Amino acid sequence: MELRARHTILAEGCRGSITKKLFDAFDLRRGAAPQTYGIGIKELWEVPAETHRKGLVLHTIGWPLDSATYGGSFLYHWGENLVSYGFVVGLDYRNPWLSPFEEMQRLKTHPAVRGNFKGGRRIAYGARAISEGGLQSLPKLTFPGGCLAGDTAGFLNVPKIKGTHAAMKSGMLAAEAVLAARALGEAEPVALTEAFRGSWLHEELAAVRNIRPGFARWGLWGGLVNAAIDTYVFRGKAPWTLGYKHADNETLLEADAAPPIAYPKPDGVLGFDRNSSVFISNTNHAENQPAHLRLREPDKAIARNWISFRSPETRYCPAGVYEIVGAEEGKPRLQINAQNCVHCKTCDIKDPGQNIDWCTPEGGGGPNYPAGM
Ligand code: SF4
């Protein structure tokens, strides 16, 4: 496919597939800190009226994650007896045995959380990566023939876990810059960079820029101290900017060097398995469409991922797409159940050798989320 418009505004969401190519083609990431991501997993529940407390908001940080791993949850009671529950894990985590999906299930068993689901039933499931790097991880926003908007660039306010307003503002700035470029007959909408720097969006992201990297450097407790100092002492105007030392695919320890994690078995009431979760994500891929999950070097699935990390993709994928079969017979082989994919893009980000390429599947197959997901 060719895009022949004079200007194209790319708003593909986190880890955009075309954007990824543009980063290389126009060297857009030069001078920027590595982008860092989180995987967000979400469930929508319908609960009995006696369980529902409309307007209740609950945010957590820490448990069940260890103090070296960044993550937390949100839970909202809203609408007609609905509860939205989401869990985010920073993809810079180090333990290859960690499963974001199982951590999400486990948090529901905490005494302060489990009552929110009492007597209820889960009605929807989904997962998606989010860009967590913040201001210092933003790429150059413009290139000859277009510009970037929304989470494909990385305009998320991480401490607030909010990006819709930022996506809208960056889209408005992009549209104005394209109009200005058209009026001047220029291919590159260069006005966008200055317009962004002068906007409230830049001010908002600058004020929180040091919070996420603090957790990446010093873990939960050091990160909280850093966040408190940055917010309440410097009020977001500290005379330094913390960067990120590694991309998320570079942080995993080898499997032998990390403690395995034992997760409780799903009871089908509060905790669930991946297959039943994918079923309610309303995703469907036509069986004869080209595979959208491709290995650049198929041999590395075993030679590198299995041997060194015991195939972390079988744990970080929230849809059970990746499976190792034949290990017990001494002939491990990676099986890719691509039809299960819920398009979160975590494998494209976290694969240690960047060997997995998530390509855009044919459209129309979902996930089709109900309102509130
Ligand atoms: S295959 Fe990749 S993109 Fe699809 S659900 Fe699994 S981790 Fe996400």
Side-chain angles (χ1 to χ4, degrees):
M1 184 188 287
E2 285 180 23
L3 297 174
R4 296 192 175 185
R6 264 186 291 166
H7 294 100
T8 304
I9 301 174
L10 284 147
E12 302 182 274
C14 173
R15 193 76 167 189
S17 298
I18 302 174
T19 304
K20 205 168 70 165
K21 293 193 170 82
L22 293 175
F23 284 165
D24 293 336
F26 295 109
D27 199 15
L28 299 182
R29 296 214 59 84
R30 180 152 46 98
Q35 182 59 272
T36 186
Y37 301 87
I39 173 174
I41 307 176
K42 194 169 166 187
E43 293 179 345
L44 183 64
W45 282 67
E46 190 174 44
V47 299
E50 57 270 24
T51 302
H52 198 245
R53 286 170 286 167
K54 195 166 187 169
L56 182 108
V57 172
L58 180 71
H59 282 190
T60 71
I61 191 167
W63 194 88
L65 299 170
D66 63 26
S67 62
T69 306
Y70 181 72
S73 75
F74 59 86
L75 189 144
Y76 308 132
H77 287 237
W78 63 283
E80 293 300 315
N81 297 333
L82 295 173
V83 175
S84 287
Y85 164 59
F87 189 84
V88 180
V89 179
L91 286 176
D92 57 350
Y93 71 82
R94 301 176 70 205
N95 187 337
W97 300 105
L98 186 143
S99 160
F101 176 85
E102 319 265 8
E103 299 286 346
M104 188 249 199
Q105 298 301 323
R106 191 153 67 154
L107 179 60
K108 286 186 281 180
T109 65
H110 191 283
V113 178
R114 67 183 308 144
N116 291 285
F117 307 101
K118 192 172 172 199
R121 71 182 180 100
R122 201 174 60 141
I123 56 177
Y125 170 82
R128 187 69 172 92
I130 56 175
S131 306
E132 291 192 339
L135 191 70
Q136 52 274 57
S137 297
L138 285 175
K140 181 170 179 274
L141 298 174
T142 63
F143 52 88
C147 57
L148 308 175
D151 215 25
T152 207
F155 289 107
L156 182 83
N157 183 329
V158 184
K160 288 189 175 172
I161 334 175
K162 284 185 170 51
T164 311
H165 67 305
M168 290 167 70
K169 179 64 178 174
S170 71
M172 290 158 71
L173 294 171
E176 286 161 7
V178 164
L179 281 178
R182 286 198 170 208
L184 296 169
E186 290 173 349
E188 184 164 345
V190 287
L192 177 58
T193 304
E194 275 313 303
F196 167 59
R197 284 202 187 119
S199 70
W200 58 256
L201 178 56
H202 186 279
E203 199 178 327
E204 178 181 321
L205 296 181
V208 297
R209 73 194 183 285
N210 284 329
I211 293 180
R212 176 65 181 92
F215 289 96
R217 284 169 181 236
W218 301 303
L220 176 62
W221 302 114
L224 284 173
V225 170
N226 171 67
I229 293 172
D230 200 78
T231 305
Y232 298 112
V233 178
F234 291 106
R235 309 223 164 253
K237 295 193 170 139
W240 56 78
T241 294
L242 302 175
Y244 301 93
K245 293 182 178 158
H246 307 285
D248 292 342
N249 65 298
E250 298 169 340
T251 58
L252 282 183
L253 298 169
E254 299 220 338
D256 292 348
I261 306 173
Y263 292 108
K265 286 214 171 356
D267 61 3
V269 178
L270 196 59
F272 300 92
D273 62 15
R274 286 174 171 82
N275 282 345
S276 64
S277 303
V278 170
F279 186 70
I280 54 169
S281 72
N282 293 319
T283 314
N284 183 45
H285 298 89
E287 280 188 14
N288 60 353
Q289 72 170 265
H292 75 282
L293 298 160
R294 300 180 193 159
L295 299 184
R296 292 189 171 92
E297 294 178 65
D299 292 349
K300 278 192 174 171
I302 299 303
R304 179 176 164 90
N305 281 24
W306 170 256
I307 299 287
S308 299
F309 305 103
R310 280 293 179 270
S311 301
E313 60 274 21
T314 61
R315 291 175 287 280
Y316 63 60
C317 171
V321 167
Y322 299 100
E323 260 185 278
I324 291 291
V325 294
E328 279 162 18
E329 297 84 52
K331 290 185 183 162
R333 180 175 68 79
L334 181 68
Q335 178 171 298
I336 302 180
N337 307 308
Q339 71 278 10
N340 276 11
C341 178
V342 295
H343 308 168
C344 74
K345 299 206 177 173
T346 300
C347 51
D348 194 278
I349 296 164
K350 187 64 177 169
D351 183 67
Q354 293 288 275
N355 192 34
I356 300 176
D357 191 23
W358 188 97
C359 307
T360 317
E362 286 178 1
N368 291 318
Y369 297 130
M373 272 300 285

